[in-house]
Amino acid sequence: MNMTESILNYRLFLKRKNFSSLTIKNYLHRLKLFFSWLAVPVESTTVKEVKLYIDYLLEKQMAPRSINCHLSSVRLFYGYLQDEEGISTVNPVVTGLMMRESHPLPRYLPDSDVELFLNHVASKRDFVIFMLMLRCGLRVQEVINLTLDVIDYRRSQILVRAGKGAKDRMVFISNDAAIALAKYLRVRLVTKEKHIFLVEKGRCRGRPISVRAVQKRVELYAKLCGVPVTCHRLRHTMATQLLNANADLVSIQEILGHTKIKTTQRYSKLSNLKAQQDYFQAMDLVIARTVINQLE
């Protein structure tokens, strides 16, 4: 079996299935780690080797969710070998090997922390990047992929092309985020580059900014203000704020680009203000229909 050729063919297979470039990169990276560790031929791999690999990843203090991502990548590749290349091999990642994951609630920022964080952001570019996560619910990859032609100021909308799952969706842009974006565009480097957010200094000046560069900027400002901010936490904060403002759960699902409503429902567990409002509003009706002599 020519392993290099199979992996190259697998990469083409994933591209034909319209997986995003980031997803393909992650899948291939995990396969590389697994096959670098593996001491037996690929076609001879059994459940025993996979269990040992899980132990190896645990020793590296990898989280259960990350381990499951590695196992999923290996399982998909063996499925590809069987179905697409006709290689006679048994998929060693069988049902039951996946690790049990905890499901912590999304962490969000209270309004005071949001204000403190944003007040420490001096760069117009960085400020609008964070505002697009906080006001539009964009993922960091979706923000850096934005191009000049997807902004519709007249309708206050942004077209998110090829978001998670390679799906397009339309999101709305708030007035304050739109103003911040307009201010940045006035000072943005003059270039033919269509991506909105560019590197402003160094050798890569004028090129599209990377995900890691944005993450490092968030880490810098978080350290300066002492608030535990991450890119995804800004997105979580937006969802929680909308729920507390009585926004419909289905509408939030569409804005965030969640495939399943169950994913969005996790935020309702955080939305204590809305739960409090619903409780007292409903309880007032209950009390109005109930006569308790001892309270008179």
Side-chain angles (χ1 to χ4, degrees), residues 50-81:
V50 176
K51 288 180 177 178
L52 291 173
Y53 188 59
I54 293 173
D55 294 338
Y56 166 74
L57 296 178
L58 285 171
E59 288 176 2
K60 295 174 68 69
Q61 298 184 334
M62 190 172 288
R65 183 174 182 181
S66 297
I67 292 175
N68 286 343
C69 288
H70 280 258
L71 295 179
S72 294
S73 297
V74 174
R75 180 175 60 190
L76 287 172
F77 180 69
Y78 274 90
Y80 161 79
L81 293 179

